Amino acid sequence: MVGYNPEPISGKELSTSDQSEAGLASGIATRAIIQPLDVLKIRFQLQEEPIGGKRSGKYRGVIQSVRLITREEGVRAFWKGHIPAQGLSAVYGLVQFAAFEWFSKQITVNVGGLGKAGTDFIAGGIAGSLAMTAAMPLDVIRTRLVAQAQAAGGDADGTRPVAYRGTLHAMVKIARREGTIGFFRGWLPSVAQVAPYTGLQFWFYNAICTRLDDLTGQHDAKLNQFVSGASAGTLAKTVLYPLDMVRHRLQMNGFQRCSKFGSTSDYSRGMVRSVLHIVKMEGMLGLFKGLWPSQIKAAANSGFAFLFYEMFCDILRTRKEHQ
């Protein structure tokens, strides 16, 4: 399990820098695996036209979208925005796990009375908010790189080139045209989503992991850790998915993507009005576009993130024992 243990194993305690190192490594390893799922999820979320039916938009399902993106943009398109996404995962993993470990200890020692579940939820919420704020600029750049076309000519009629040639170009262009605020588009729904999401994620993870350990009789089994992480990520993502979808729409403010992707509305009205606009124009199900690839991504992301974090922590403990 992760989080503060009031009775640590002597000689195996990890420092905050150790936990940061494990979180950093976990974020990098996990991102390399789940990036294609992230591309699919964002493409679905940004499509304002229906996913199914006679008026369906460009992307109508996971398999159809995989084939379409591969044919139009090549396999490399599934790693579009990978550099800022890798930076996002690295920063997020570092801050999230280190902050969670620190806050869970402070709450347990100085507050008490909340129980393991309460401590996990509060510490996770604070850690998620800090991690998202630190990684927000990279999240905006990643979203926009994934959103734009990379087919020859950019636009359907071949008259408009892609908006951003790469991570550095996107960073400079956003800074010049939109200022610092451009890197924090969608911050409010991001934090509103990630705080309870991370809290639920850590809560579910430790609860499920404890249960699986009891059922299997295998403490710290890697399979239990992966299953617990995957289950925690899926449950938390499903509950809070609409906020994740809305934040990606808000991150598109100030950016007009190619017409081949369909409509791009103005979401400068803010989070609440954007939610109402989506429901009015796309129906309640519009708030759950891309849920399936998002659930697959959440399961893989959370499962591997916790598994790798626990693995790297074990490696660091072993290294400390031999020093």
Side-chain angles (χ1 to χ4, degrees):
M1 293 191 298
V2 297
Y4 176 64
N5 180 6
E7 298 180 358
I9 301 174
S10 179
K12 292 188 177 182
E13 299 88 347
L14 295 180
S15 64
T16 300
S17 61
D18 291 329
Q19 293 159 352
S20 299
E21 184 179 341
L24 175 66
S26 173
I28 292 173
T30 301
R31 171 55 58 176
I33 297 173
I34 58 94
Q35 177 66 12
L37 293 170
D38 206 31
V39 170
L40 282 175
K41 182 197 74 168
I42 292 175
R43 291 286 178 92
F44 279 121
Q45 289 179 332
L46 298 181
Q47 177 173 288
E48 298 184 16
E49 295 77 15
I51 291 177
K54 295 181 179 180
R55 297 176 54 251
S56 61
K58 184 179 179 69
Y59 304 114
R60 300 188 295 274
V62 173
I63 296 176
Q64 178 266 346
S65 298
V66 169
R67 290 175 176 172
L68 183 61
I69 293 172
T70 301
R71 184 173 69 248
E72 290 189 346
E73 305 171 55
V75 176
R76 291 180 60 185
F78 291 103
W79 277 269
K80 183 178 290 184
H82 183 60
I83 293 177
Q86 191 62 265
L88 163 66
S89 293
V91 172
Y92 195 92
L94 185 157
V95 176
Q96 175 187 239
F97 281 107
F100 176 77
E101 298 280 6
W102 190 85
F103 279 107
S104 67
K105 179 178 180 179
Q106 300 305 312
I107 293 172
T108 301
V109 174
N110 299 315
V111 179
L114 296 177
K116 180 64 175 172
T119 299
D120 287 343
F121 182 78
I122 295 175
I126 297 173
S129 298
L130 292 175
M132 176 53 69
T133 301
M136 193 72 197
L138 291 167
D139 190 30
V140 171
I141 293 173
R142 180 276 307 260
T143 299
R144 295 192 181 186
L145 287 176
V146 169
Q148 69 179 2
Q150 196 165 317
D155 211 340
D157 58 6
T159 59
R160 184 192 299 172
V162 293
Y164 306 121
R165 296 190 297 271
T167 302
L168 183 59
H169 181 244
M171 188 181 302
V172 173
K173 195 169 181 179
I174 292 172
R176 287 178 176 175
R177 293 191 174 186
E178 305 171 50
T180 303
I181 194 173
F183 293 106
F184 290 90
R185 301 279 189 188
W187 178 82
L188 181 57
S190 294
V191 173
Q193 180 243 348
V194 82
Y197 171 77
T198 310
L200 288 172
Q201 189 180 35
F202 279 103
W203 178 13
F204 285 143
Y205 174 76
N206 282 331
I208 296 172
C209 200
T210 299
R211 182 60 175 167
L212 287 178
D213 287 348
D214 292 339
L215 289 173
T216 61
Q218 297 179 323
H219 183 64
D220 288 338
K222 299 308 176 189
L223 179 60
N224 291 353
Q225 293 168 354
F226 178 80
V227 172
S228 299
S231 301
T234 303
L235 289 170
K237 175 62 71 176
T238 302
V239 172
L240 299 163
Y241 184 76
L243 286 172
D244 185 52
M245 200 279 286
V246 172
R247 80 184 179 92
H248 280 122
R249 293 282 181 97
L250 291 175
Q251 287 175 346
M252 296 297 290
N253 282 330
F255 172 64
Q256 181 65 44
R257 59 180 177 163
C258 299
S259 60
K260 65 183 293 183
F261 284 96
S263 304
T264 303
S265 297
D266 177 16
Y267 291 97
S268 60
R269 55 180 61 86
M271 183 178 70
V272 176
R273 290 185 179 179
S274 293
V275 170
L276 296 176
H277 173 74
I278 292 170
V279 171
K280 178 181 178 181
M281 302 303 295
E282 305 170 49
M284 285 297 297
L285 292 180
L287 295 173
F288 291 89
K289 282 182 175 176
L291 178 60
W292 183 24
S294 183
Q295 286 176 321
I296 298 173
K297 180 218 168 184
N301 183 56
S302 186
F304 283 116
F306 280 104
L307 174 62
F308 288 143
Y309 179 72
E310 300 265 27
M311 287 176 59
F312 286 122
C313 282
D314 289 342
I315 292 172
L316 291 173
R317 290 190 185 97
T318 302
R319 188 175 69 182
K320 291 172 73 75
E321 288 179 342
H322 290 85
Q323 286 180 346

